[in-house]
Amino acid sequence: MGTHSRKFVPCMLCGTLCHRQQQSHIELSTRRPRIGLALGSGSARGWAHVGVIKALERAGVSAEIVCGTSIGALVGAAYAAGDIERLDEWVRGLSWQQVMGLMDVRLSGGLIRGSLLVEFFRSRFADKGIEHLGKSFACVATELTSGREVWLQSGSVVDAVRASIAIPGLLAPVVHEERLLVDGGLVNPVPVSLCRALGADVVIGVDLNWDLIGRRKQVPEVVKTEAGPADNGILESIFAKFRGHDRPGRKSRTPRCWTC
């Protein structure tokens, strides 16, 4: 009897785990998958994120979860707040004099402190707090003293973005909960893992620097973001790898997008 009991318990455990896995599979197949959008770092290239978002929206792809690193955090925050059009208009309307006016050149704490840029952004976009955004949002920063990755998922949107874009040597670190935080691109350039942690079933990652570090095996193809008739087929391009329909890529400075 004792021998049979020892064998019976593992069998029950295995059966329970299999049943739960089957239930999870059924639930996922019967509901619409949650789409996450991971916007990567890339400095001035980050404004390309706006074009990617608008192209996805035209194709009927709306992310429920938005995560960003560095400039991706800034664009992602505007998208999660429903202000992507306002951000687009603001960026397009900046003159060279206005760009220079946002800079605060210093010899200490970074060549560009960044406070004027943050205050300018704060004055034009309502900061309701990350918890009250229209979409689930989080961004990545790096703890300066330890090099650890920090996920900012609550509190002030502007302060979180400010920490995520604090490029060492250019922008001064941000003090957050007694920690010095700098640019999240140092530890997680494209925050796919953060999207997964927030519950995304499918993640669309946007890598702005793929052409700087070479091709990556996990990237299936370049997704076109130019306006035109091809926009209707962008969803087909993004999910092409699931059907095995590969299309020859071309060298371009457009951002790389992939799904996982």
Side-chain angles (χ1 to χ4, degrees):
M1 181 66 178
T3 304
H4 289 290
S5 298
R6 286 193 297 269
K7 291 182 179 179
F8 183 64
V9 171
C11 290
M12 288 186 63
L13 292 174
C14 290
T16 302
L17 291 175
C18 290
H19 179 66
R20 289 179 179 176
Q21 289 177 351
Q22 290 175 354
Q23 281 186 324
S24 299
H25 178 72
I26 292 173
E27 290 175 359
L28 184 59
S29 61
T30 55
R31 67 173 172 83
R32 182 177 179 179
R34 300 187 70 193
I35 298 177
L37 182 61
L39 303 177
S41 59
S43 191
R45 291 185 173 193
W47 304 125
H49 286 315
V50 177
V52 171
I53 291 171
K54 295 177 73 172
L56 289 173
E57 290 286 342
R58 285 197 298 269
V61 181
S62 181
E64 297 181 42
I65 299 169
V66 183
C67 297
T69 296
S70 194
I71 189 63
L74 191 151
V75 177
Y79 179 41
D83 288 330
I84 194 67
E85 292 294 339
R86 291 183 59 199
L87 177 63
D88 188 23
E89 293 175 3
W90 174 61
V91 172
R92 291 177 183 271
L94 287 177
S95 65
W96 176 250
Q97 291 78 7
Q98 288 174 316
V99 172
M100 294 301 297
L102 294 176
M103 296 184 178
D104 184 13
V105 182
R106 304 164 69 95
L107 296 178
S108 61
L111 297 177
I112 304 175
R113 185 167 178 264
S115 60
L116 292 179
L117 176 60
V118 174
E119 291 304 321
F120 187 83
F121 185 77
R122 190 194 303 270
S123 66
R124 284 160 175 77
F125 296 90
D127 190 349
K128 303 174 183 178
I130 294 177
E131 302 90 339
H132 299 97
L133 294 175
K135 300 177 182 291
S136 297
F137 172 77
C139 60
V140 179
T142 305
E143 186 177 6
L144 183 61
T145 56
S146 66
R148 294 177 179 174
E149 181 175 351
V150 177
W151 291 353
L152 302 173
Q153 307 175 64
S154 62
S156 168
V157 177
V158 175
D159 290 346
V161 170
R162 172 67 181 84
S164 187
I165 66 173
I167 304 173
L170 292 180
L171 302 180
V174 171
V175 179
H176 177 77
E177 297 180 355
E178 300 182 353
R179 295 180 296 184
L180 285 177
L181 301 183
V182 294
D183 194 291
L186 298 173
V187 290
N188 194 350
V190 185
V192 172
S193 57
L194 182 50
C195 280
R196 289 291 193 188
L198 293 183
D201 300 311
V202 177
V203 180
I204 301 173
V206 185
D207 186 353
L208 302 174
N209 299 315
W210 64 273
D211 59 328
L212 299 180
I213 59 178
R215 294 183 179 275
R216 297 181 177 181
K217 293 182 179 179
Q218 71 270 30
V219 181
E221 60 186 290
V222 174
V223 176
K224 295 182 179 180
T225 59
E226 300 88 346
D231 288 342
N232 295 330
I234 190 170
L235 184 59
E236 297 296 323
S237 300
I238 294 176
F239 292 100
K241 75 170 186 176
F242 294 112
R243 297 190 300 272
H245 296 168
D246 294 329
R247 183 176 61 188
R250 59 181 177 83
K251 293 183 178 180
S252 172
R253 288 189 176 272
T254 56
R256 273 278 169 123
C257 301
W258 73 90
T259 57
C260 61

